[in-house]
Amino acid sequence: MHNRLGPKTSGKAHPNPSSQSLPTGVDDVRLVDAKFSSTTGGMSLSWWYEKVATGEAPPPVHRAPRCTRWRLTDVVEFWKRFAEKANTEASDTVMVTAKKASAAAQAKRSAKAMQG
C-alpha cells in the first residue's frame, strides 16, 4: 500500500509553459525575472543585481513589490555584448602573456649566448 500525500495525478495536468512554442513577435514584449536573466548567462542573482546597479546590465522595465521584470530582448542583447567583451579581453590577455613570454625567452637566449 502506498502512503501518498497530495492528489493522485499523472503529472500531465499542467504543461510546462516554457516547452510550448510562442507566437511570432512575443519575444519583443516578453518580460523575464532576475533569476531567468542571471541563469541565462550562468551567473548568480547577486551578480546580476550588481550589474544592474552599476548600469552594465539593462534596467528593469517593470517594478512592483516582489515583481521586477526585464525585457527579454534587452537581456539577450546584454549577454551578447558580455560574451563579445569577454572574448576580446581573453584574446588581449593571451597576446600580452605571449609577448612577455617571448621577450623573456629572447633575453634568456641572449644571456646564454654571451656566457658561452
Side-chain angles (χ1 to χ4, degrees), residues 49-86:
Y49 283 123
E50 178 185 332
K51 296 300 176 188
V52 171
T54 60
E56 294 175 57
V61 294
H62 178 73
R63 278 189 195 219
R66 299 176 58 110
C67 184
T68 303
R69 300 290 184 262
W70 287 260
R71 276 190 197 92
L72 178 61
T73 54
D74 294 344
V75 172
V76 169
E77 285 303 313
F78 167 77
W79 285 114
K80 284 180 182 178
R81 285 191 316 272
F82 184 82
E84 289 171 3
K85 181 180 173 186

Side-chain angles (χ1 to χ4, degrees), residues 5-71:
L5 298 174
K8 294 181 181 180
T9 62
S10 65
K12 297 180 182 177
H14 302 287
N16 184 354
S18 64
S19 66
Q20 297 174 351
S21 62
L22 297 171
T24 305
V26 170
D27 285 344
D28 294 340
V29 295
R30 186 172 179 191
L31 301 178
V32 295
D33 62 1
K35 183 176 180 182
F36 179 89
S37 300
S38 64
T39 57
T40 298
M43 300 297 189
S44 67
L45 274 172
S46 59
W47 183 92
W48 177 256
Y49 283 123
E50 178 185 332
K51 296 300 176 188
V52 171
T54 60
E56 294 175 57
V61 294
H62 178 73
R63 278 189 195 219
R66 299 176 58 110
C67 184
T68 303
R69 300 290 184 262
W70 287 260
R71 276 190 197 92

